[in-house]
Amino acid sequence: MAWKSRTRNLQVFDTELSADTVEWCPVSPGHDILACGTYQLLKQGDDEGGTPSRTGRVYLFRYQREASLSPPLTELQQFDTAAILDMKWCHVPVSDKPVLGLAAATGELQLHVLSDGQDGSQNLQPLSSAVVGSERLALSLDWSSGRLDSSDLRVVCSDSAGCVSVLSLAECALITSSQWKAHDFEAWIAAFSYWNTQLVYSGGDDCKLKGWDLRVGPCSPTFISKRHSMGVCSIHSSPHQEHILATGSYDEQVLLWDGRNMKQPLCETPMGGGVWRLKWHPTHQHLLLAACMHNDFHILHCQQALEGSPAACPTVASYILHNSLAYGADWSRLSLDEPAPSSPPVSEPKTSLAKSSGHLRIQYESPTASFDTSLEDDAGRYIPEDCQATPTSSKPHLSINPDDASVLSCLLASCSFYDHMLHVWRWDWTPEDGTDRSKSSPVNESAPETLN
């Protein structure tokens, strides 16, 4: 029996400005807090030679599971700022509070703390900021706390001048400890190795993936990989398995690496669109979320690749209801214990259907309602809810973990650019008998209250 996979839209929110980054708070008890950042390029008058300006806005929401008859998101706050290119919550509290980092188009790294208001609501308040350089855009950031280590908190930031900066957080103030020229063009992404935070990875528009060891200084990289054929724009270190790294590129490929051998990736998976962001699931070690620009959002199951198979990772789910560039995506740590709502009886759709990358595509026009995507097997074939999927000969076998429950349910958020839309959705996956649902990693099982 092939797996059954279902994605269901829970709410759509118009951000007005182009949405490019979305992040669920990882710090308990704030797992129901969601932040979304936007980027808008504004032309100055009608003069084509005028200098454009970039503006942005940050939205803060609370997700309410009990509000079954009303939209689950409640807007807590919005504030205008410089255009936001990336945002990340620190994985651990800072002075007992969640902290959100913003990479801004002014070349500034901003920190905001999640505070309790006098009326009992929550909002973001400025905490600290640092300019990484003039006449450049801060493009990405990552925290050193990916494995919930609160000692020696640092932030790495990349920018449009091709530089990478490492900043330390001392008494809630950002202090630049090192900065170097890492790439010939834009340094789209920089990230820590969560297992050894003296190691930093960077990717640039020069098509190069590089490694850096902060202990010996950034005078020269520890490796340079040209395995991607276009700009490298996403990197995420696995918080579950040491040495494992996922990278994505405008070349539409996701590569998995063992950091001990950066000459050859473990596997290569074509995604059908530039891979702008990659996110490992916070507790299930084999699940990888990909935002694929012109080709929607996809969830990969990476178990076989991490066990030595060079085959491409199978796609176990796709979310296809956005109508524009897929940029921001994130997993929530909230538990979805209740079953998914039942779908209405399946009828012939009035809107056109088209195939995309082997998955059923529903023509999506209105952001005002809740939507169901179809159940699908790994070959993209529709599975009625009261029927079993037909086995496929190409179905990869995934080993069983008998202690896992039969259904995995996840809450996610994603955003798209030109249509300025934020979507909150759930994914329910029923694997075949004998399928490992990507069991929780020991690091997260040992600290259920602090991961988050």
Side-chain angles (χ1 to χ4, degrees):
M1 174 182 173
W3 60 60
K4 291 174 63 177
S5 183
R6 177 189 184 188
T7 57
R8 178 180 176 86
N9 177 275
L10 302 178
Q11 187 173 350
V12 176
F13 181 87
D14 186 348
T15 60
E16 298 182 350
L17 306 180
S18 298
D20 61 353
T21 179
V22 61
E23 296 285 323
W24 291 96
C25 179
V27 176
S28 180
H31 296 171
D32 57 348
I33 298 296
L34 175 67
C36 180
T38 65
Y39 172 104
Q40 195 73 39
L41 184 65
L42 303 177
K43 295 182 179 180
Q44 299 296 322
D46 297 328
D47 184 5
E48 293 184 0
T51 302
S53 63
R54 299 174 176 88
T55 189
R57 184 178 299 151
V58 174
Y59 290 92
L60 190 71
F61 303 93
R62 172 176 286 113
Y63 178 85
Q64 297 176 289
R65 285 174 291 183
E66 67 275 8
S68 58
L69 299 180
S70 61
L73 287 185
T74 298
E75 183 179 338
L76 300 178
Q77 182 187 17
Q78 62 168 274
F79 59 91
D80 293 335
T81 180
I84 302 301
L85 280 300
D86 192 18
M87 60 168 54
K88 297 286 192 321
W89 295 92
C90 183
H91 305 84
V92 296
V94 177
S95 298
D96 298 323
K97 292 184 178 181
V99 170
L100 178 67
L102 308 177
T106 52
E108 187 179 25
L109 181 63
Q110 304 175 7
L111 299 186
H112 294 257
V113 61
L114 184 64
S115 301
D116 296 326
Q118 293 181 350
D119 59 354
S121 64
Q122 292 179 296
N123 56 68
L124 291 169
Q125 297 294 330
L127 177 66
S128 180
S129 65
V131 177
V132 297
S134 60
E135 298 183 356
R136 67 186 69 184
L137 286 68
L139 297 177
S140 77
L141 70 106
D142 191 24
W143 292 86
S144 62
S145 53
R147 296 194 69 243
L148 312 182
D149 183 2
S150 60
S151 62
D152 190 23
L153 279 180
R154 285 167 295 147
V155 184
V156 63
C157 179
S158 66
D159 64 48
S160 59
C163 294
V164 172
S165 304
V166 175
L167 303 95
S168 60
L169 190 60
E171 297 182 354
C172 297
L174 283 170
I175 301 173
T176 301
S177 56
S178 60
Q179 184 182 83
W180 65 95
K181 180 73 171 180
H183 295 272
D184 295 332
F185 306 109
E186 291 92 341
W188 290 118
I189 189 72
F192 283 102
S193 165
Y194 293 148
W195 295 79
N196 181 354
T197 58
Q198 296 299 325
L199 302 180
V200 169
Y201 304 104
S202 65
D205 210 45
D206 54 8
C207 311
K208 296 175 182 177
L209 170 66
K210 298 184 179 183
W212 310 90
D213 190 333
L214 302 179
R215 293 166 296 191
V216 298
C219 55
S220 62
T222 58
F223 71 85
I224 300 177
S225 172
K226 300 180 182 179
R227 186 63 177 75
H228 282 293
S229 61
M230 298 180 71
V232 180
C233 44
S234 55
I235 301 173
H236 199 203
S237 170
S238 170
H240 313 297
Q241 291 184 258
E242 190 174 5
H243 309 301
I244 298 302
L245 188 72
T247 65
S249 165
Y250 290 126
D251 66 8
E252 305 184 352
Q253 306 295 318
V254 169
L255 304 184
L256 297 186
W257 302 85
D258 184 324
R260 296 165 295 185
N261 177 19
M262 296 302 294
K263 294 182 179 180
Q264 180 70 24
L266 297 173
C267 76
E268 179 175 355
T269 304
M271 301 306 299
V275 185
W276 183 252
R277 281 295 176 265
L278 289 168
K279 296 284 185 69
W280 291 103
H281 191 284
T283 58
H284 294 276
Q285 62 181 340
H286 297 136
L287 296 178
L288 182 64
L289 174 63
C292 299
M293 298 183 72
H294 293 282
N295 193 36
D296 308 309
F297 299 88
H298 305 281
I299 298 172
L300 303 180
H301 196 290
C302 303
Q303 178 184 350
Q304 288 190 312
L306 299 181
E307 293 177 351
S309 170
C313 299
T315 298
V316 292
S318 298
Y319 185 77
I320 59 175
L321 295 184
H322 284 272
N323 260 351
S324 183
L325 290 177
Y327 268 174
D330 197 23
W331 306 92
S332 171
R333 276 81 167 170
L334 278 177
S335 173
L336 294 180
D337 296 328
E338 70 277 10
S342 298
S343 296
V346 177
S347 59
E348 188 68 23
K350 297 180 181 179
T351 52
S352 62
L353 298 178
K355 287 294 183 79
S356 173
S357 300
H359 294 273
L360 188 64
R361 176 179 293 277
I362 301 174
Q363 187 63 40
Y364 167 70
E365 296 178 354
S366 171
T368 60
S370 179
F371 298 87
D372 272 329
T373 60
S374 62
L375 299 175
E376 58 188 8
D377 64 13
D378 60 301
R381 290 183 291 214
Y382 173 71
I383 308 171
E385 292 192 27
D386 57 351
C387 298
Q388 293 184 351
T390 303
T392 61
S393 58
S394 60
K395 176 75 177 74
H397 175 73
L398 307 175
S399 64
I400 190 170
N401 176 12
D403 296 329
D404 283 338
S406 59
V407 178
L408 174 65
S409 297
C410 299
L411 178 66
L412 302 96
S414 54
C415 63
S416 48
F417 198 70
Y418 293 115
D419 61 350
H420 38 84
M421 288 295 172
L422 165 68
H423 289 218
V424 175
W425 45 287
R426 68 178 291 157
W427 171 48
D428 297 283
W429 184 38
T430 306
E432 66 176 359
D433 293 339
T435 298
D436 179 359
R437 290 187 312 127
S438 191
K439 55 193 175 186
S440 299
S441 63
V443 63
N444 291 312
E445 288 181 341
S446 64
E449 296 301 323
T450 55
L451 173 72
N452 313 298

